[in-house]
Amino acid sequence: MSDHDILDLIDRAAIDAPHMHVSASHVVAGGRRKVRRRRVVSAGVATGGLALAGLTWLALGSGSGLTTAPGLEPAGQVWRDDQAVDSGLFLGYQTIDSDQTSHRYDARMIREVAGGPVVLELSDRGSVVEKIPAQSSVPGLDVYAGERMTVAVWVQPDGTMSSVPLVGPYDEGGTSGAGSTVVDDRSLGYAVWPADVMTPPKEIRDVYLMGDDEVVTLSGAEVDTKVLNVAGDDSLFFYDAARGVFGGDERGVFGPFLFDPVSEASVFSINAGAADGTVRVLAVLPTGADHVRTSPSADVGGDAPEVAQATLGGRTVLATVAQKSTSPVDGSSPVFFDLSGQQYDVDSYNSDLFTLDVEGGELMPQTDPLDGTALILADQQDQEVVRLTRDELDQGLVITDSGSSVVIAAQGFDPGSELFSKTRIQLLEGGEGGTTRWVVPVDVAQAIAPWGEPVTFLTLQLSGEESVRAVGVGEGEDIQAWTPTLFDGIAIEAADGAFRPMIDGIALAPAAGTDLGGPSVYAYPDGSAGLILVPGQERDAEVVPIQRQGGSATLAPGLIEASAAVLTEQGPVLVLKVAAVTPADPIVALAVRPASALIDNAVNDWILLPTSVGSSPISTTHVALDPKVVVTITDDLWLLAPTPGSRPDTEPIIGIVDRSLLTSTREGGRTVDLYAVLSTDAAGPTPQLVLADGAVVLDAVVQTLDIGRVWQGAVRLPEDKSLGDLVQGLDLDADGRVNIPLSRP
C-alpha cells in the first residue's frame, strides 16, 4: 500500500469518526459538504492509549479504568506548591499539518526551579519546541496553552470511569477526549488540542468526572444523572442545568460525549452501526417530544426493539438498539417521536430543522468558515447567499431577500416544540396605519450563532405593498407576537398605550417619561444604568441626550452605551442604554435626527423631545437662519445646528431660552454670528450686544415665532482679538448691562 493510500484511509477515518462534542447542525453540515481536514496520523500515547482522532473527537479510551467507589469527589489541585515535578505525560502524539509535515510530540511536566511554576515541556521528534506555563481558571485544572498545542491536566479521583472537559460555550475548539496516566500514584486526566490539526479552545471551563452512576465537576457545579440500560450495556446521561449542557458516557460503544445546548427545539443523537444491520442510538429529544419508538407505526407491537428512556432537564433522553430506519436521511437513526401533533424521526427532523426552503432550492445556516464571527446562509453548493452579523441580529428582526423569497432572521426567538406547527409571520399592508394579518411561513429553520444565541429563520414570498411586521407563535386568533430580547436581556412590551421594558420578566421602574407620544426614561434595578425608549425612531436615528444642571444644558452623546431598535405593533422603538445619571444631573430631553433626515419637507433635520414626567407631546418649532444654520425650539430648550448639506463638520449645540447666547463662525473665521432665543412675553427694546472697544456689529435682527423670539447678530473681529475679548453678552433692557452672557463652548 502506498503512502498516498495510507493517508487517504487515515483521512477517511478522521472524517467518519464520531464527535465527542456533538451539535446537530454540525452533523447535518458535515453530510452536505466534503471538508479537507488536516490530520492526526497516530496517537499511540504510551500512557493513555490515544487512538486515531477526528476533527473534534479524540478516542482516548474510556478513562482511567479504575473500579468505581462510592462518593466520587474532585481531588483538588494538580501539584502541591512544594512538590518536585518531573514526569512524562504522553509519548508519540503524531500529526500531519497543512503543509503535509509530520510531527511526533512527547510531553513532560517539569518544575525547573523549586517553588517555581510547573511547565509542560513539549518535544517534536526529540527536540524541545515549547515550554508552556500552566494557567488555572478552575481549581484543580491546569491548562497549558502554547503555539503547538493546548493541553489540560487534572487529577482523577478513585472511582473515575471516564472524564471529559467542557470548553467555553460554542467554542470553535470543541471538546477533546481525555486520556490518563499515573504520576506519583495519582491518576492524572488530560486532553490535547494540537493547533496544526484543530482550533484550540479559547476557554476550558470545567471537567466532568464520571463514575459508575454519578457525575461530579472540578468546579463543584451540580449535575443531574440518569443511567439507561439497553442490550446489556449501560448509558450514563447527565444534565448541567446551570450551563444547559447534556452529556454522558456509553461504555459499550461510544465512550464520553457532550451535546451542545442549542435550543428547546433541537435534537442531538449519536449512532453506531453494527455488522448485523442494527444501529445503537443515544439521543436527547426536543422539549415536548413524546411517544418515542423504533418504528413509524403508532402500534409498535410486543416484539419492537427496546427503547430505554428517562426525563432529564425537561427532555427525553434515550438509548436503543434497532434496525436502521427508512428515513429520507441515509443511514439514519431508527428513532421516531411525536411533537406538537406531528410524527418525526431523529435525522429527518434534524435535516428539516437545519435547512431553509426558498424559491429555487435550500439554504443552510452555518457559522462563517472564514472568520467565525457571523452567521451565513449557504446554498447546496456551499456558496454564501446571506450574511448576518451580530450587530444586525442584535437589532431584533433582520429581513433580507434570497431571489424572490423573503428571509427573516430572529435572534432569541425560540418557539420550542411549536417551531414547525405554530410559528407565524405578521404582515402589514398599506404602510403605517394599514391592516395587519398573520400568515404561515413557507419554511422554518434554526441555528446557533457563534456567540451562543439561537436564531430562528423564516421564509415566505410577499406580494403588493405587504411588509413583514413581526413574528409570533400560535394559531387562529390566539397568536402571541414575539418580543425581541436586546442588550442586557432587555425586552420591550407595548400594550394599553404604553411601553414596558423588562429584564428577566421584571418591569423596570420609570424615572421620567410620557406616553407613546414621547421618550421615556427607566432605571436599571441596581442603579448601574438607565434605559431610554424613543417611539417612532428606528436604528439609524441619531440621538443625543441633553442634561441640565442649574442654568446650563449640555449635549452628552457619551452617555449612550448601547442601542437597538425593535418593531412593535405600535410602530418602531429605538432603545438606548445610557450611563447611570444622578437626580442632580438628569436627562431632560433628547436631540434626535431621524433616519428620514427631513421632517415635514423642511430644511431642519433635528427635533427636540422632552423626557420629563408630565411634559406635553412633541412640540418643536424651527426656523432657518443665515448663514446656513437652523434653530429648533421646544419648551425652554433650543438647538443650533447646521442645515442639511452645509458645514458637515459642524456639531449642534444646545441652549436655554432667555439664558444662552450661542455662536457660529463663518468660513474665514473673522466673522462670528451670535444667536439667542427669548421668550415671547419678553417686552422692551431690541436686544443689543455689550461690546469692548474694537468690535464691529454688522447686523442684528429679531424674528418672532409662536413659542419664542429668535435674536441673530453678527460681529467682525480684528486680527488680534478673540470673540471673548470683545463680546460680553446681550443686553435685553437697554441699560448697558449684560442680561445673557456669552455662552462658553
Side-chain angles (χ1 to χ4, degrees):
M1 182 179 292
S2 69
D3 290 345
H4 176 80
D5 293 331
I6 293 172
L7 291 176
D8 184 64
L9 287 173
I10 291 171
D11 209 16
R12 288 172 54 194
I15 291 173
D16 294 337
H19 293 299
M20 280 200 58
H21 192 246
V22 181
S23 166
S25 60
H26 296 162
V27 173
V28 177
R32 293 297 180 89
R33 63 185 185 273
K34 238 181 144 178
V35 179
R36 178 180 176 87
R37 287 182 171 89
R38 290 167 284 182
R39 293 175 286 277
V40 174
V41 172
S42 165
V45 177
T47 56
L50 191 61
L52 184 68
L55 185 62
T56 60
W57 173 73
L58 293 179
L60 297 168
S62 298
S64 65
L66 299 176
T67 302
T68 302
L72 191 67
E73 294 287 345
Q77 69 185 77
V78 180
W79 313 106
R80 300 188 314 273
D81 292 340
D82 60 350
Q83 182 178 0
V85 180
D86 186 1
S87 301
L89 187 65
F90 58 76
L91 300 172
Y93 191 106
Q94 297 187 46
T95 69
I96 297 177
D97 64 23
S98 58
D99 296 326
Q100 300 301 307
T101 301
S102 173
H103 302 276
R104 183 184 178 93
Y105 292 114
D106 301 336
R108 294 190 65 80
M109 312 301 304
I110 59 174
R111 192 195 300 272
E112 296 179 300
V113 179
V118 174
V119 301
L120 185 144
E121 183 181 81
L122 189 66
S123 301
D124 184 3
R125 297 189 178 277
S127 298
V128 175
V129 292
E130 274 194 283
K131 291 186 178 181
I132 312 167
Q135 305 170 25
S136 297
S137 57
V138 175
L141 173 64
D142 286 356
V143 178
Y144 303 86
E147 293 184 5
R148 297 289 188 104
M149 64 175 55
T150 294
V151 179
V153 179
W154 59 92
V155 178
Q156 296 193 136
D158 291 344
T160 302
M161 298 291 289
S162 59
S163 53
V164 59
L166 175 68
V167 301
Y170 313 102
D171 197 312
E172 287 183 73
T175 297
S176 171
S180 66
T181 188
V182 176
V183 176
D184 293 341
D185 297 325
R186 294 188 306 163
S187 176
L188 295 186
Y190 62 90
V192 183
W193 291 265
D196 57 0
V197 176
M198 62 185 70
T199 303
K202 300 180 183 68
E203 177 188 11
I204 303 174
R205 296 190 292 166
D206 212 339
V207 176
Y208 296 106
L209 306 168
M210 287 170 275
D212 206 17
D213 58 2
E214 63 179 327
V215 179
V216 298
T217 62
L218 291 181
S219 68
E222 296 184 0
V223 297
D224 296 325
T225 62
K226 297 287 184 181
V227 178
L228 304 179
N229 183 280
V230 65
D233 289 311
D234 284 341
S235 298
L236 173 67
F237 283 87
F238 69 80
Y239 176 60
D240 183 342
R243 295 157 173 151
V245 173
F246 286 90
D249 185 10
E250 204 288 331
R251 284 142 195 160
V253 179
F254 302 109
F257 58 88
L258 290 181
F259 289 139
D260 276 342
V262 176
S263 71
E264 292 295 308
S266 58
V267 160
F268 308 106
S269 69
I270 48 178
N271 313 333
D276 62 0
T278 62
V279 59
R280 187 177 186 91
V281 183
L282 304 182
V284 179
L285 300 185
T287 302
D290 58 14
H291 194 200
V292 182
R293 55 204 184 276
T294 57
S295 165
S297 171
D299 183 10
V300 297
D303 59 350
E306 177 187 2
V307 178
Q309 58 184 294
T311 300
L312 193 61
R315 299 193 185 203
T316 296
V317 297
L318 65 92
T320 187
V321 176
Q323 291 294 321
K324 289 184 179 180
S325 73
T326 57
S327 162
V329 179
D330 185 31
S332 60
S333 300
V335 174
F336 295 80
F337 60 92
D338 292 346
L339 182 66
S340 195
Q342 299 293 319
Q343 175 182 279
Y344 301 96
D345 72 79
V346 166
D347 289 314
S348 63
Y349 178 91
N350 265 337
S351 180
D352 197 9
L353 182 66
F354 291 102
T355 56
L356 185 68
D357 293 335
V358 295
E359 187 71 17
E362 293 180 340
L363 299 179
M364 183 172 175
Q366 56 187 259
T367 300
D368 181 358
L370 296 179
D371 61 23
T373 62
L375 272 180
I376 64 172
L377 295 176
D379 61 19
Q380 290 173 301
Q381 287 71 48
D382 221 21
Q383 298 299 308
E384 178 182 314
V385 177
V386 175
R387 171 178 292 270
L388 300 167
T389 65
R390 181 170 191 174
D391 185 60
E392 291 170 322
L393 290 168
D394 281 347
Q395 306 314 310
L397 291 184
V398 178
I399 302 169
T400 186
D401 297 323
S402 175
S404 61
S405 297
V406 173
V407 176
I408 305 160
Q411 178 176 271
F413 178 46
D414 188 7
S417 62
E418 298 177 329
L419 177 72
F420 290 122
S421 60
K422 295 184 180 180
T423 302
R424 300 292 185 265
I425 302 172
Q426 188 184 53
L427 301 181
L428 173 67
E429 186 172 7
E432 291 298 327
T435 59
T436 61
R437 64 189 180 100
W438 290 95
V439 299
V440 178
V442 171
D443 196 21
V444 183
Q446 249 189 11
I448 194 71
W451 46 93
E453 288 290 334
V455 180
T456 295
F457 296 90
L458 309 93
T459 184
L460 79 164
Q461 291 180 297
L462 297 179
S463 60
E465 297 181 357
E466 291 179 326
S467 60
V468 174
R469 189 60 180 267
V471 296
V473 178
E475 54 187 354
E477 299 297 321
D478 185 21
I479 299 176
Q480 181 66 45
W482 169 67
T483 301
T485 299
L486 310 175
F487 46 76
D488 298 346
I490 293 288
I492 306 300
E493 295 182 355
D496 302 325
F499 290 116
R500 294 193 310 163
M502 319 282 288
I503 295 182
D504 298 329
I506 301 175
L508 299 189
T514 63
D515 58 16
L516 289 176
S520 301
V521 182
Y522 297 82
Y524 275 43
D526 59 2
S528 62
L531 198 72
I532 301 178
L533 306 185
V534 193
Q537 301 301 325
E538 309 224 14
R539 166 71 173 170
D540 293 336
E542 183 178 353
V543 178
V544 183
I546 300 172
Q547 290 185 299
R548 184 167 178 177
Q549 187 173 27
S552 64
T554 305
L555 291 173
L559 288 181
I560 297 179
E561 297 179 350
S563 66
V566 296
L567 191 62
T568 72
E569 293 186 355
Q570 283 84 5
V573 180
L574 183 62
V575 184
L576 305 173
K577 179 184 178 182
V578 295
V581 293
T582 65
D585 203 17
I587 296 173
V588 297
L590 303 174
V592 179
R593 175 153 43 189
S596 61
L598 294 177
I599 300 175
D600 298 329
N601 297 318
V603 295
N604 182 37
D605 59 357
W606 287 88
I607 56 176
L608 289 172
L609 303 181
T611 62
S612 58
V613 174
S615 61
S616 60
I618 299 171
S619 176
T620 298
T621 297
H622 68 267
V623 58
L625 305 171
D626 290 332
K628 298 183 179 180
V629 295
V630 63
V631 167
T632 302
I633 310 168
T634 187
D635 295 336
D636 67 339
L637 294 172
W638 60 283
L639 188 77
L640 180 68
T643 54
S646 66
R647 298 291 301 276
D649 59 329
T650 304
E651 299 293 331
I653 49 178
I654 193 74
I656 300 177
V657 174
D658 290 333
R659 294 195 180 187
S660 302
L661 180 61
L662 305 182
T663 64
S664 173
T665 303
R666 299 186 191 181
E667 293 183 12
R670 304 317 302 169
T671 299
V672 178
D673 290 275
L674 299 101
Y675 307 90
V677 174
L678 313 174
S679 55
T680 55
D681 58 356
T686 300
Q688 301 291 325
L689 288 173
V690 178
L691 306 172
D693 292 340
V696 178
V697 177
L698 300 180
D699 50 44
V701 296
V702 177
Q703 297 189 47
T704 301
L705 309 173
D706 291 340
I707 61 173
R709 298 182 299 156
V710 179
W711 179 90
Q712 177 186 6
V715 175
R716 180 177 295 157
L717 303 178
E719 291 292 337
D720 59 344
K721 297 291 184 180
S722 67
L723 182 65
D725 295 331
L726 300 177
V727 178
Q728 299 177 26
L730 199 61
D731 174 14
L732 302 181
D733 51 14
D735 64 357
R737 290 182 295 183
V738 173
N739 300 109
I740 303 178
L742 182 67
S743 300
R744 301 298 177 184

